[in-house]
Amino acid sequence: MIPALLLLAQAADPVAASVAAMSPERKAAQLQSTAPADAAAGLPAYDWWNEGLHGLARDGYATVFPQAIGLAATWDVDLMNKVGTVVSTEARAKFNAQPAAADRRIYQGLTIWSPNINIFRDPRWGRGQETYGEDPYLTGSLGVGFITGLQGPDPRHPRVVATPKHFAVHSGPEAGRDSFDVDVSPRDLEATYLPAFRRAITEGKAQSLMCAYNSIHGVPACAASWLMNDRLRHDWGFAGFTVSDCDAVSNISIYHHYRLDAAGAAAAGIRGGTDINCGTAYAALPEALAKGLVTQAEVDTALTRALRARRALGIAYGGTSPWASIKPSELATPAHHAVALEAARKAIVLLQNTNARLPLAAGSRIAVIGANADDLGVLQGNYHGTAMHPVTPLEGLRQRFGAANVRYAQGSLLAESSAIVVPETALRADGKPGLRATYTGGSGAPTVRQDRRIDLDVNRAPPAPGLPAIGYTARWTGEFVPPAPGRYHLILDQTQCWKDCTVHDRATLTLGGKTLHDGDLPKGRVDLVIDSDGTPQPIDIRLDHRSEDDSFRLLWLPPAEPLLAQAVEAARQSDVAVVVAGLSPDLEGEALSVSVPGFVGGDRTDIALPEPQLRLLAALKATGKPIVLVLTSGSAVAVDPAAADAILANWYGGEAGGTALADVLSGATNPAGRLPVTLYRTTADLPAFTDYNMKERTYRYFTGTPLWGFGHGLSYTRFGYAAPRGAASVAAGGTLTIDTMVTNSGARDGEEVVQAYLVPPAGTGLGGNDAVLQRQLVGFRRIAVARGRSSNVRFTIDPRGMSIVDRDGRRHVVPGAYRLYVGGGQPGDGAGQWFDFTVTGTDMELPK
């Protein structure tokens, strides 16, 4: 009887039957990110690793949205849902282009390791660009919108599985990230570092979650049962599967020394609540089982969670999916591009507009200046796909104002000794800017075109129609036109694939008839020093793209003065200088090999605009021409407001970034983005980077005066606020509903981001060695209001919104007198009104 019942149960649950039949070695293989095919279980090979931070990433053409920090600047939850829907639709479109039972390589699966909802507590962190900013409420709200867009409306049949990361208390520095230990207070943990994750699970219903590299109080996050089992599964009711950050399980022994060997690390990961190991550490699970370090039941539980997800996606054990009908053609469509353009427009934050310098008049003669004005990487940020038709700021302004009205000069380097793309002004072929390009491969005729610069993103994407993604040659010919005599560094630069790569591309560069390089690019970069007399020289560059290396660029380090002189001349001959400045993914990002003044390892040591760009702004200021400063970056950049008439934060704007910028500068789009981070005045305003205490961090606890505060953003119109209306008191544990009327009293239609900030009763925000809570965001709405019209906005503040956190990490609602501010920014930043109310009754503790 028992065997018959067991057989019946296994037939009803094929996942359980499969797990029961597997050997320890087969189980261990399926619990690693690159899972091999298992014929006996009917499982094709599947790589759990795919990326979709701001568009489907690293697998050829896809719609590229603004970097995550730019999406955060939209303050638009509905838009985040649309973006997530596009990302997951394109993931399915690529997946459905192959048979359901096909093997899947890295970046081809339906388990998306996004979003990154870590709190951007310090602007020096290079990966902060991947986050939704510094505030737990904003981050949680946008994260929920993105997750629900990714997974779709039916949790039984997700379009893809979302994986919020990195759990928990992870936000730099990049150096030492594999081993650092965070001694976070119970209060900061509960008040700052966990709320967004809680909402991602309890409201967003994320079906996966990634644990972080770091330790917390000496316990690696991926082995922290109190975090991964108790808080995540018990307190929050999480029923999905977890995955480690890549090699984080190996780090348990190699860097944290929490266990002494691979078997101990693997056991600690499983017992700590980590189901899937990104990496190979779980290959030691059979040894851990043999030593009694982990039980068979614990391993089976992890594997069952993982395989149930594959079945729910409709890609294993007879599972089906309504999303299998998504056509391969639903990739980088015009409709998807329209969402990218909407997001890019909504992300732009107008920080300053002295004397209403913007918008620019039609027919304005514009000098477009800056190293970021015509750079593909500055559009795409990190963790990106390949944009089909990207538009740089230079191209967008030419299209909007007319090429005849736009002069271009690169002007300066981004930072000292940091190479940038050789601009069209230094290349010439057939009397036109750029080089003649010939692409050959596949069965079709060669593609011949003019490339204004050599700046290719070739990650599994052909550079022209009819070419294969791998196995083509490219040749660029014309002249190198240096702006003046001097020493130039020309650099062949390639971002190389890092996983299972044994073959790399080959390149040749000939200048003035002399071959300077002819060979492989095994290290991804070849630096060639040229002493030029300033005369044009024939240039011939060839690329044999035979690998999965990601990009190919011609960079340079030119003398500073000729670039500066070109920029000054362009400004003098124009009505206004639009300076596209800031940072780039070459300077800030994940674990970068960069060490130049102000930057190290992907992080920053100084938040100020780098010195070469300060010199450029000073020289342009001396011309007396108006300056519009456009900051492209993934984080806050400190600038002197007097350096420009108008200043905008443009982030890394995605494939439509240049079009959106031109729309805003021309007034075709009325800007309404808001800062998701504080723009501090100086690095000296910041506590130590390695200190995770929130004292003097973010708008919630910073007691100084920033350049521009969290939530700041201007418009080309004006908004007014009526006094909020609502109950004068609410019982502890109840909700508060308030209404406010917002009126557009200006001359243009526009959008407003209505924000609600709560100030707790005096004395409850703590003090002494603890951060003092100044105020906290508890609601926001982005609304469109036509000129002369009004709109009512309603906020409902729930008990968690009214709660504070004590030193022991206990969240509760305290009776007393509260103040609520409703406006277009924080108190003192634009129009807004206060509302006072009282919470009555007794202290009420809330669940974790």
Side-chain angles (χ1 to χ4, degrees):
M1 181 66 69
I2 294 177
L5 289 175
L6 179 60
L7 288 173
L8 183 63
Q10 289 177 343
D13 189 349
V15 172
S18 180
V19 170
M22 286 186 184
S23 67
E25 289 74 18
R26 289 169 60 198
K27 292 175 182 178
Q30 293 302 315
L31 285 172
Q32 295 171 70
S33 55
T34 303
D38 188 321
L43 292 171
Y46 183 77
D47 201 300
W48 293 85
W49 186 348
N50 203 352
E51 300 285 354
L53 180 67
H54 57 117
L56 192 65
R58 297 178 174 177
D59 190 34
Y61 288 116
T63 304
V64 180
F65 295 93
Q67 178 57 288
I69 194 70
L71 292 174
T74 69
W75 289 57
D76 192 329
V77 174
D78 291 339
L79 175 64
M80 293 299 294
N81 186 273
K82 288 199 291 185
V83 171
T85 299
V86 171
V87 173
S88 56
T89 298
E90 296 195 351
R92 278 284 178 175
K94 284 183 179 284
F95 191 92
N96 294 346
Q98 300 182 58
D103 293 340
R104 308 291 171 169
R105 302 172 54 212
I106 189 172
Y107 310 133
Q108 292 184 340
L110 297 175
T111 40
I112 306 293
W113 291 357
S114 294
N116 183 341
I117 57 172
N118 291 133
I119 296 302
F120 196 2
R121 67 185 175 89
D122 192 303
R124 288 168 289 195
W125 187 34
R127 295 191 71 181
Q129 62 179 286
E130 302 173 26
T131 76
Y132 299 140
E134 70 182 39
D135 181 69
Y137 184 83
L138 178 66
T139 296
S141 300
L142 298 178
V144 168
F146 188 68
I147 289 165
T148 53
L150 283 176
Q151 296 188 160
D154 185 355
R156 298 170 303 168
H157 300 289
R159 197 161 33 234
V160 302
V161 167
T163 308
K165 60 186 183 184
H166 310 84
F167 193 56
V169 202
H170 183 85
S171 51
E174 284 299 285
R177 67 178 186 166
D178 293 304
S179 61
F180 77 88
D181 182 47
V182 180
D183 288 324
V184 63
S185 72
R187 183 191 182 213
D188 286 339
L189 183 69
E190 174 62 30
T192 296
Y193 295 113
L194 293 185
F197 284 101
R198 186 184 192 278
R199 293 186 65 189
I201 301 304
T202 61
E203 297 177 37
K205 307 298 182 183
Q207 297 190 20
S208 178
L209 178 137
M210 178 182 286
C211 54
Y213 285 123
N214 54 281
S215 290
I216 305 172
H217 299 303
V219 180
C222 292
S225 184
W226 68 267
L227 180 70
M228 301 287 286
N229 290 320
D230 299 345
R231 185 60 60 93
L232 176 64
R233 294 192 181 276
H234 179 269
D235 295 340
W236 298 347
F238 178 67
F241 71 94
T242 58
V243 61
S244 75
D245 205 344
C246 290
D247 295 321
V249 175
S250 295
N251 293 351
I252 291 173
S253 60
I254 295 174
Y255 289 106
H256 292 291
H257 307 295
Y258 183 72
R259 294 292 183 267
L260 297 181
D261 56 16
I270 289 288
R271 302 196 74 182
T274 301
D275 299 324
I276 296 290
N277 158 223
C278 179
T280 59
Y282 278 1
L285 279 175
E287 179 185 351
L289 283 164
K291 291 181 175 179
L293 302 177
V294 66
T295 68
Q296 192 70 64
E298 289 169 324
V299 174
D300 288 356
T301 295
L303 183 56
T304 299
R305 290 170 182 154
L307 295 182
R308 287 200 196 287
R310 288 182 67 173
R311 190 183 189 207
L313 287 164
I315 59 176
Y317 298 109
T320 60
S321 173
W323 311 113
S325 62
I326 292 175
K327 297 178 177 60
S329 59
E330 294 184 50
L331 181 72
T333 65
H336 293 176
H337 175 77
V339 180
L341 178 57
E342 177 188 358
R345 287 169 172 161
K346 287 185 171 182
I348 295 173
V349 183
L350 180 60
L351 299 172
Q352 174 176 298
N353 194 17
T354 304
N355 298 323
R357 177 59 61 188
L358 294 177
L360 300 177
S364 295
R365 297 176 303 159
I366 301 171
V368 179
I369 297 167
N372 283 348
D374 198 32
D375 185 287
L376 179 61
V378 170
L379 290 179
Q380 295 190 148
N382 72 353
Y383 281 93
H384 62 82
T386 300
M388 190 84 71
H389 302 292
V391 180
T392 67
L394 174 62
E395 292 171 308
L397 287 163
R398 281 174 171 167
Q399 292 168 9
R400 171 63 66 175
F401 290 93
N405 290 326
V406 174
R407 295 178 179 272
Y408 167 55
Q410 199 168 52
S412 76
L413 299 178
L414 284 175
E416 298 285 1
S417 305
S418 179
I420 52 179
V421 173
V422 177
E424 64 170 40
T425 53
L427 303 170
R428 183 171 62 202
D430 302 324
K432 296 180 290 185
L435 298 175
R436 184 188 310 109
T438 303
Y439 296 91
T440 306
S443 58
T447 297
V448 180
R449 69 188 189 197
Q450 193 86 355
D451 283 353
R452 293 189 301 104
R453 61 200 187 282
I454 301 178
D455 189 10
L456 293 181
D457 179 10
V458 294
N459 189 351
R460 300 185 183 178
L467 291 173
I470 297 173
Y472 63 83
T473 60
R475 183 182 183 186
W476 295 271
T477 58
E479 290 182 309
F480 173 61
V481 187
R487 172 161 287 190
Y488 293 79
H489 290 249
L490 290 182
I491 299 161
L492 298 174
D493 178 78
Q494 186 156 56
T495 304
Q496 298 185 325
C497 76
W498 61 270
K499 186 171 183 177
D500 303 326
C501 294
T502 57
V503 176
H504 294 290
D505 288 357
R506 180 182 180 89
T508 302
L509 188 148
T510 300
L511 184 68
K514 181 180 179 181
T515 299
L516 303 180
H517 176 78
D518 184 6
D520 290 346
L521 298 169
K523 295 183 180 179
R525 184 181 176 105
V526 176
D527 191 336
L528 307 168
V529 181
I530 297 145
D531 289 312
S532 172
D533 62 5
T535 60
Q537 293 288 320
I539 190 169
D540 189 320
I541 300 173
R542 305 184 189 205
L543 172 69
D544 179 8
H545 185 58
R546 56 190 184 181
S547 74
E548 288 198 336
D549 289 338
D550 292 347
S551 66
F552 184 72
R553 301 183 296 174
L554 179 63
L555 310 180
W556 72 343
L557 284 168
E561 290 308 315
L563 288 192
L564 194 63
Q566 286 180 329
V568 168
E569 182 61 20
R572 285 174 174 161
Q573 296 185 38
S574 303
D575 299 321
V576 60
V578 174
V579 183
V580 188
L583 311 177
S584 86
D586 289 333
L587 294 172
E588 59 172 349
E590 182 179 3
L592 301 181
S593 297
V594 59
S595 181
V596 298
F599 304 87
V600 61
D603 294 325
R604 288 192 284 166
T605 59
D606 192 338
I607 65 171
L609 193 67
E611 188 61 33
Q613 298 182 75
L614 292 177
R615 291 195 296 267
L616 171 63
L617 284 172
L620 295 174
K621 186 80 170 178
T623 68
K625 293 299 178 86
I627 297 173
V628 175
L629 176 59
V630 179
L631 293 172
T632 54
S633 69
S635 52
V637 178
V639 295
D640 182 356
D645 299 89
I647 303 176
L648 304 94
N650 195 47
W651 318 106
Y652 300 137
E655 63 183 44
T659 302
L661 176 63
D663 289 346
V664 167
L665 294 183
S666 68
T669 294
N670 192 347
R674 295 294 193 271
L675 288 177
V677 292
T678 300
L679 267 61
Y680 301 94
R681 293 181 178 274
T682 172
T683 310
D685 285 339
L686 303 171
F689 191 8
T690 55
D691 184 1
Y692 273 70
N693 189 311
M694 289 303 296
K695 189 173 185 178
E696 294 298 335
R697 291 193 183 281
T698 77
Y699 81 95
R700 296 162 68 223
Y701 303 109
F702 182 58
T703 58
T705 303
L707 278 171
W708 293 286
F710 172 88
H712 172 75
L714 304 178
S715 171
Y716 296 152
T717 191
R718 299 184 306 278
F719 294 94
Y721 285 76
R725 308 177 306 280
S729 66
V730 59
T735 59
L736 172 71
T737 299
I738 64 150
D739 290 88
T740 190
M741 192 66 69
V742 181
T743 301
N744 182 343
S745 57
R748 292 173 177 262
D749 296 347
E751 294 186 343
E752 173 76 330
V753 177
V754 185
Q755 303 163 47
Y757 293 90
L758 188 70
V759 178
T764 61
L766 299 185
N769 292 327
D770 289 276
V772 179
L773 180 64
Q774 309 293 305
R775 63 190 66 90
Q776 59 187 7
L777 183 72
V778 293
F780 65 92
R781 283 265 314 278
R782 182 167 181 145
I783 60 171
V785 187
R787 59 181 179 175
R789 303 300 295 271
S790 299
S791 179
N792 185 72
V793 176
R794 171 169 290 182
F795 290 116
T796 299
I797 317 300
D798 66 13
R800 296 194 80 84
M802 284 183 272
S803 66
I804 62 168
V805 180
D806 275 347
R807 290 187 176 92
D808 61 0
R810 185 173 65 98
R811 182 180 292 276
H812 57 127
V813 180
V814 180
Y818 289 74
R819 304 202 76 198
L820 185 72
Y821 181 83
V822 180
Q826 292 186 59
D829 184 12
Q833 295 279 352
W834 285 99
F835 177 79
D836 296 328
F837 69 99
T838 301
V839 172
T840 62
T842 59
D843 187 305
M844 178 178 181
E845 186 170 356
L846 301 179
K848 294 180 180 178

